[in-house]
Amino acid sequence: DGGITQSPKYLFRKEGQNVTLSCEQNLNHDAMYWYRQDPGQGLRLIYYSQIVNDFQKGDIAEGYSVSREKKESFPLTVTSAQKNPTAFYLCASTKVDGYYNSPLHFGNGTRLTVT
Amino acid sequence: DQQVKQNSPSLSVQEGRISILNCDYTNSMFDYFLWYKKYPAEGPTFLISISSIKDKNEDGRFTVFLNKSAKHLSLHIVPSQPGDSAVYFCAASRPAAGNKLTFGGGTRVLVKP
């Protein structure tokens, strides 16, 4: 069964600690994305990667870092520099396919709570 | 600045009637638009899309309308069913700029039996 796996579903951390959220896909998709959702708000783009070993900042990249060493994996690190890290984090992927990529396919998210 | 806006945070509709969700955008460079449906604690799932060369796209009970001059799109769900109760997000992209999606704030739909 192809899909995107985000783990863990719930994550708790103390303020000042870095934390890494996992995202793995077995859809053979080229591009991967990280979004953040806050209560009552839409999804905001943190980072994205179109190919292995390359990634670009999204709209709210400050305080986050990513790596793309393998096509299947796009981990997100929430650093202590992120001012408001508590949120619902969503990973997505898509196949790069001509002018219009196929629609983003999302994982089920990780809810991060920092106290 | 919010480039994609959904001005109605919630909508309540009777089962069997039509649900109409609206979305406005400000960036005229957007040329591909999508609607996603989201249940609590899950990722969004793709519903329907439309490119800027069309003004209507239909898929079963779901129809998306695009008015480029007004920078406005809408999603019609007819007939509405209780399983349609969810949060709906519209999203816009510029495929020439990496296919990044810009999302609206969402509209929560409640379909009453």
Side-chain angles (χ1 to χ4, degrees):
Chain A
D1 236 0
I4 298 181
T5 302
Q6 290 188 244
S7 59
K9 192 163 181 65
Y10 299 96
L11 192 52
F12 298 88
R13 278 295 182 269
K14 295 284 187 192
E15 199 173 316
Q17 292 179 334
N18 291 356
V19 59
T20 297
L21 281 60
S22 167
C23 177
E24 303 278 330
Q25 55 99 359
N26 60 4
L27 300 165
N28 198 31
H29 283 173
D30 309 286
M32 297 186 74
Y33 305 76
W34 274 104
Y35 283 87
R36 165 184 173 141
Q37 185 188 15
D38 293 284
Q41 294 193 36
L43 284 65
R44 292 182 292 167
L45 181 64
I46 304 172
Y47 267 98
Y48 67 105
S49 167
Q50 303 267 76
I51 56 172
V52 174
N53 291 323
D54 187 45
F55 47 82
Q56 278 77 44
K57 292 181 179 180
D59 301 317
I60 54 165
E62 187 175 345
Y64 299 98
S65 66
V66 292
S67 62
R68 186 86 186 278
E69 296 176 3
K70 298 187 300 182
K71 187 176 184 179
E72 309 79 39
S73 178
F74 191 40
L76 173 75
T77 297
V78 184
T79 76
S80 55
Q82 167 50 232
K83 299 268 188 280
N84 297 296
T86 295
F88 188 52
Y89 290 87
L90 285 157
C91 179
S93 69
T94 187
K95 191 162 184 57
V96 176
D97 189 15
Y99 186 69
Y100 296 114
N101 286 355
S102 55
L104 294 191
H105 184 95
F106 283 86
N108 279 331
T110 292
R111 182 164 298 283
L112 172 65
T113 302
V114 177
T115 57
Chain B
D1 82 45
Q2 263 192 297
Q3 297 187 68
V4 179
K5 285 186 185 178
Q6 294 176 253
N7 289 319
S8 297
S10 64
L11 171 70
S12 183
V13 65
Q14 210 64 37
E15 182 179 3
R17 305 295 291 267
I18 185 170
S19 294
I20 299 177
L21 290 76
N22 293 302
C23 179
D24 297 293
Y25 62 96
T26 57
N27 188 341
S28 57
M29 300 297 289
F30 288 140
D31 61 355
Y32 187 53
F33 304 90
L34 307 91
W35 285 94
Y36 281 82
K37 175 181 178 179
K38 185 181 181 300
Y39 294 117
E42 293 184 10
T45 54
F46 168 71
L47 267 182
I48 191 168
S49 63
I50 187 166
S51 70
S52 58
I53 61 173
K54 294 185 174 183
D55 55 18
K56 176 182 172 180
N57 189 25
E58 195 171 346
D59 184 1
R61 296 186 298 114
F62 302 93
T63 302
V64 56
F65 296 92
L66 176 62
N67 182 333
K68 276 175 37 182
S69 60
K71 295 193 183 70
H72 176 85
L73 63 154
S74 62
L75 175 69
H76 292 206
I77 306 172
V78 56
S80 299
Q81 299 173 352
D84 296 331
S85 297
V87 177
Y88 291 78
F89 291 98
C90 72
S93 79
R94 295 187 292 141
N99 268 285
K100 301 175 294 179
L101 292 185
T102 299
F103 283 84
T107 296
R108 182 178 301 278
V109 172
L110 175 63
V111 180
K112 297 178 181 176

